[in-house]
Amino acid sequence: MFCQKCGSECKEGALFCSNCGAPLVVQGESDNISNIPDHLVMSILTTLFCCIPFGIVSIVYAVKAGMSKESGNVEKARFYSKKAFLWSIWGIIFGIAFVMLYGLISFLTMHDPLC
Ligand SMILES: [Zn+2]
């Protein structure tokens, strides 16, 4: 686990940070569930502008994250939130790579004297 004050790594189960001495808060399960992002907006944008297959997977995970949040399941909400984020990122990377490749191909064919 990590100290919330100085960010240094502390022994699992330690009550105080070995670096700065701040009391280590045992991860409050219910008070920070609302802070978990479900990345729904990002996944929808990924679907619309980048890569539909990746975006849809991301939306599915985002919705699951939202549902887990509503039912108060922190572990699942975190898990799906991460997945949704990762799939969105992959979708964006794929989308950009695709656009660049497309641009490169059209650039090359435009300057090809044989065409
Ligand atoms: Zn500390």
Side-chain angles (χ1 to χ4, degrees):
M1 65 196 292
F2 293 91
C3 171
Q4 290 193 331
K5 203 178 170 195
C6 68
S8 67
E9 201 174 355
C10 303
K11 252 189 235 167
E12 204 68 46
L15 292 175
F16 297 95
C17 174
S18 52
N19 186 47
C20 69
L24 296 172
V25 188
V26 182
Q27 284 174 338
E29 296 283 278
S30 50
D31 29 289
N32 62 4
I33 190 162
S34 53
N35 294 334
I36 299 170
D38 56 18
H39 301 295
L40 188 60
V41 176
M42 188 176 162
S43 53
I44 288 170
L45 290 177
T46 305
T47 311
L48 289 178
F49 297 110
C50 296
C51 184
I52 292 173
F54 283 76
I56 286 175
V57 176
S58 177
I59 287 178
V60 170
Y61 281 126
V63 169
K64 281 188 175 180
M67 281 176 358
S68 304
K69 270 173 77 173
E70 261 170 45
S71 60
N73 196 326
V74 182
E75 289 291 305
K76 269 194 176 174
R78 280 221 184 89
F79 175 77
Y80 288 130
S81 162
K82 258 185 211 162
K83 287 251 181 191
F85 181 71
L86 276 178
W87 280 93
S88 292
I89 292 289
W90 278 114
I92 290 167
I93 291 171
F94 240 77
I96 292 171
F98 183 79
V99 168
M100 279 170 72
L101 197 73
Y102 187 81
L104 190 71
I105 288 168
S106 52
F107 178 78
L108 288 176
T109 49
M110 218 161 57
H111 290 265
D112 192 340
L114 292 174
C115 282

